């Protein structure tokens, strides 16, 4: 490791190996987040028997605990010193607890509903805590591996790519292989045995992804800038955290990201309900639809860096989000208007398949650009405060990402409670009025969240030109620090 004044110049372009190892670690978060967003509400509501409101409340409580923990972990990792650097000790330590706690989530004890609520709440807190100890230090590496405006977008494109691919692979495996119908459970998505197997497979994958990524990026520790060690008490630490988070562009970006994540979480949690009860797809058909998102991940991997270079990060992200939402809700609106093919037809399957590929690709690319914008705040803040706080800034990124499954699931559960969606429902047997109300309430709620997010995003002011000026001023400051006296 090197100090601030003598840090070696980091290459503008990273090797393919560095990009792959860095990105691969997000498989763990992708698996966890896909499970929370797409399966957890359905499993605990329709299989275990908890009310939708109870499930949503449990996840929201866990997210609120997270909101305090994430910045603390970021601050700790910023000020940690060891022969393994500031980030890697936390990454290695998180691997096994993440896997074990995720396995336990999908194997709940046979308790009463009240006790199961506390079990779900406790396990959600434990999982999200250990994910935080990996995700915050890991995402902070993106600002340490490179300072280049566009290379950061490339690096984070790999992170989002692997996050989506990892989550999709396990989700498809669950729908196509693990959640299989049997004599007792004719609908595969409602078979409890499949969820136990899913928890085991997912836990192993998360464990391996974290260790491989940490080991693969370990050799870059010696190139990272390490600010001088400082002694801070509790009051000083709290004051510093508040000052760092009050950075204007960062504050707007974080608030916008929270609104976007609420929208993404709402969409993800409701997706399985729309697929199962609105479109009446089988688990095999749902796995085919999910497989199409592989194409989305590849498209976003290529598109995000190109859009960043051509149009800049903020304008590109805003346009991508608008297009993603419009294409995403179009089939639902058309069905309400009576303009979609009937259920159980090949035409319907083809339309939803194509729509999901396009909408998801646009969304992934937009999320990548927003995450890259957070990395650019690091130097802007360093110029103003003299402190590097990658971990603290990216703790907001972690919190925003986890809000997908926190506030999103709570919002979805609120919608299901509002429309009185029945427990233990069967596809094709839910009252038509309930199905219609699900669409009528969901679409405006989603549109409102994205509208607020886009308005807030206009408050982010860092551009390619301003970032280049900031790097120049920091380089000048570093040279002056080397001069005697």
């Amino acid at each position: 490791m090197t100090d601030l004044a003598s840090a070696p110049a980091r290459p503008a372009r990273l090797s393919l190996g560095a990009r792959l190892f860095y990105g691969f670690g997000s498989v763990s978060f992708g698996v966890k987040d896909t499970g929370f967003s797409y399966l957890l509400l359905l499993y605990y509501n329709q299989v275990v028997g908890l009310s939708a409101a109870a499930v949503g409340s449990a996840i929201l409580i866990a997210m609120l605990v997270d909101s305090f923990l994430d910045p603390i972990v970021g601050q700790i990792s910023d000020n940690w010193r060891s022969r393994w650097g500031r980030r890697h000790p936390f990454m290695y330590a998180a691997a096994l607890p993440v896997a074990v706690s995720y396995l336990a989530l999908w194997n709940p004890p046979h308790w009463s509903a009240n006790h199961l609520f506390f079990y779900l709440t406790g396990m959600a807190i434990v999982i999200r805590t250990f994910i935080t100890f990996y995700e915050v230090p890991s995402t902070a590496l993106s600002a340490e591996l490179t300072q280049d405006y566009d290379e950061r977008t490339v690096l984070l494109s790999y992170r989002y790519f692997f996050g989506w691919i990892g989550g999709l692979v396990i989700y498809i495996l669950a729908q196509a292989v693990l959640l299989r119908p049997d004599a007792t459970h004719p609908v595969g998505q409602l078979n409890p045995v499949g969820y136990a197997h899913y928890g085991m497979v997912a836990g192993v994958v998360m464990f391996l992804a974290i260790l491989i990524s940490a080991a693969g990026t370990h050799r870059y520790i010696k190139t990272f800038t390490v600010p001088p060690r400082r002694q801070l008490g509790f009051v000083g630490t709290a004051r510093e955290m508040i000052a760092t988070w009050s950075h204007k562009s960062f504050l707007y970006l974080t608030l916008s990201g929270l609104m976007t994540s609420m929208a993404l979480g709402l969409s993800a949690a409701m997706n399985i309900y729309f697929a199962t009860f609105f479109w009446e797809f089988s688990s095999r058909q749902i796995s085919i639809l999910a497989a199409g998102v592989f194409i989305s991940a590849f498209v976003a991997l290529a598109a995000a860096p190109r859009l960043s270079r051509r149009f800049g990060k903020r304008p590109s992200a805003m346009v991508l989000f608008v297009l993603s939402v419009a294409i995403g809700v179009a089939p639902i609106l058309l069905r309400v208007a009576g303009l979609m093919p009937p259920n159980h037809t090949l035409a319907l399957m083809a339309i939803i398949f194509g729509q999901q590929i396009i909408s998801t690709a646009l969304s992934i690319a937009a999320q990548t650009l927003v995450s890259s914008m957070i990395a650019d705040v690091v130097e802007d803040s360093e110029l103003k405060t003299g402190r590097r706080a990658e971990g603290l800034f990216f703790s907001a990124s972690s919190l925003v990402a986890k809000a997908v499954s926190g506030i999103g699931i709570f919002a979805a559960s609120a919608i299901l409670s509002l429309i009185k969606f029945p427990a233990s429902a069967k596809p094709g047997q839910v009252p038509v009025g309930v199905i219609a109300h699900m669409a009528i309430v969901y679409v405006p709620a989603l549109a409102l969240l994205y509208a607020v997010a886009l308005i807030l995003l206009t408050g982010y002011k860092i551009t390619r030109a301003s970032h280049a000026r900031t790097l120049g001023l920091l380089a000048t400051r570093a040279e002056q620090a080397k001069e005697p006296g």
Side-chain angles (χ1 to χ4, degrees), residues 257-340:
L258 282 171
M259 300 304 294
T260 302
S261 289
M262 288 171 62
L264 290 168
L266 172 61
S267 177
M270 293 300 296
N271 180 275
I272 190 68
Y273 278 84
F274 275 96
T276 303
F277 301 105
F278 192 85
W279 305 117
E280 298 180 8
F281 291 134
S282 67
S283 59
R284 184 62 60 91
Q285 288 175 313
I286 293 173
S287 68
I288 293 173
L289 292 173
V293 182
F294 278 108
I295 302 173
S296 304
F298 279 99
V299 171
L301 176 66
R306 287 171 170 79
L307 291 170
S308 173
R309 296 188 190 100
R310 179 69 178 83
F311 302 107
K313 297 176 183 179
R314 190 190 73 175
S316 298
M318 294 179 71
V319 172
L320 289 170
F321 273 130
V322 171
L323 293 175
S324 174
V325 176
I327 295 171
V329 301
I332 298 174
L333 295 176
L334 291 172
R335 166 55 65 84
V336 173
L339 299 176
M340 285 289 285

Side-chain angles (χ1 to χ4, degrees), residues 222-387:
K222 62 181 179 293
T223 70
F224 296 159
T225 297
V226 181
R229 185 186 297 272
R230 295 176 299 123
Q231 296 294 330
L232 288 174
F234 176 79
V235 175
T237 299
R239 185 183 298 116
E240 188 171 289
M241 290 169 64
I242 293 171
T244 301
W245 272 54
S246 64
H247 186 285
K248 189 174 180 180
S249 287
F250 175 72
L251 185 60
Y252 276 111
L253 187 61
T254 301
L255 293 174
S256 175
L258 282 171
M259 300 304 294
T260 302
S261 289
M262 288 171 62
L264 290 168
L266 172 61
S267 177
M270 293 300 296
N271 180 275
I272 190 68
Y273 278 84
F274 275 96
T276 303
F277 301 105
F278 192 85
W279 305 117
E280 298 180 8
F281 291 134
S282 67
S283 59
R284 184 62 60 91
Q285 288 175 313
I286 293 173
S287 68
I288 293 173
L289 292 173
V293 182
F294 278 108
I295 302 173
S296 304
F298 279 99
V299 171
L301 176 66
R306 287 171 170 79
L307 291 170
S308 173
R309 296 188 190 100
R310 179 69 178 83
F311 302 107
K313 297 176 183 179
R314 190 190 73 175
S316 298
M318 294 179 71
V319 172
L320 289 170
F321 273 130
V322 171
L323 293 175
S324 174
V325 176
I327 295 171
V329 301
I332 298 174
L333 295 176
L334 291 172
R335 166 55 65 84
V336 173
L339 299 176
M340 285 289 285
N343 290 351
H344 310 294
T345 61
L346 183 60
L348 176 67
M349 182 72 179
I351 291 172
I352 301 300
F353 184 78
Q355 169 262 332
Q356 285 199 2
I357 290 175
I358 298 171
S359 177
T360 306
L362 296 170
S363 178
I364 298 172
Q367 294 172 63
T368 301
L369 292 167
V370 169
S371 187
S372 181
M373 290 158 67
I374 292 178
D376 296 333
V377 174
V378 171
E379 286 82 19
D380 194 70
S381 175
E382 181 185 2
L383 183 65
K384 296 173 181 176
T385 66
R387 302 189 304 269

Side-chain angles (χ1 to χ4, degrees), residues 28-241:
S28 61
F29 187 85
V31 171
K32 170 262 170 190
D33 211 49
T34 300
F36 267 60
S37 299
Y38 290 89
L39 298 175
L40 192 67
L41 178 58
L42 183 74
Y43 173 63
Y44 271 89
N45 175 222
Q46 297 291 328
V47 179
V48 176
L50 281 180
S51 69
V55 178
S57 298
I59 303 305
L60 182 62
I61 291 171
M63 202 211 73
L64 292 175
V65 173
D66 244 1
S67 68
F68 292 98
L69 181 64
D70 279 34
I72 293 172
V73 172
Q75 182 79 350
I76 291 173
S77 72
D78 282 337
N79 292 284
W80 193 263
R81 300 294 182 272
S82 76
R83 63 188 179 90
W84 283 1
R86 295 188 290 167
R87 319 294 180 188
H88 282 72
F90 300 98
M91 295 162 63
Y92 285 119
L96 185 60
V98 164
V100 172
S101 58
Y102 198 71
L103 171 64
L105 177 68
W106 301 96
N107 290 271
H110 299 289
W111 291 351
S112 66
N114 288 337
H115 290 103
L116 280 173
F117 168 77
F118 290 108
Y119 179 85
L120 172 59
T121 303
M123 291 310 307
I125 291 173
V126 170
I127 292 166
R128 294 170 74 100
T129 297
F130 287 122
I131 280 288
T132 292
F133 275 95
Y134 170 73
E135 190 68 12
V136 170
S138 179
T139 51
L141 291 181
S142 64
E144 299 197 78
L145 285 165
T146 180
Q147 293 180 317
D148 186 76
Y149 182 84
D150 293 310
E151 183 63 19
R152 283 176 170 172
T153 304
V154 174
L155 194 61
L156 287 160
S157 294
Y158 278 83
R159 188 170 191 87
Y160 274 87
F161 172 78
F162 278 108
W164 276 87
I165 291 296
L168 280 171
V169 167
I170 303 304
Y171 179 69
I172 292 171
L173 180 66
Q175 294 289 356
V177 179
L178 303 176
L179 301 178
R180 299 183 67 86
D182 57 25
T184 309
H185 306 92
V187 178
Q189 300 97 298
L190 305 179
N191 188 347
V193 176
Y195 287 98
H197 295 159
Y198 160 78
M200 182 178 299
V201 172
V204 171
V205 170
M206 295 164 77
F207 174 77
L208 293 175
I210 290 175
L211 287 186
I212 290 172
S213 179
T217 55
H218 193 103
R219 67 189 182 96
Y220 297 98
I221 294 173
K222 62 181 179 293
T223 70
F224 296 159
T225 297
V226 181
R229 185 186 297 272
R230 295 176 299 123
Q231 296 294 330
L232 288 174
F234 176 79
V235 175
T237 299
R239 185 183 298 116
E240 188 171 289
M241 290 169 64

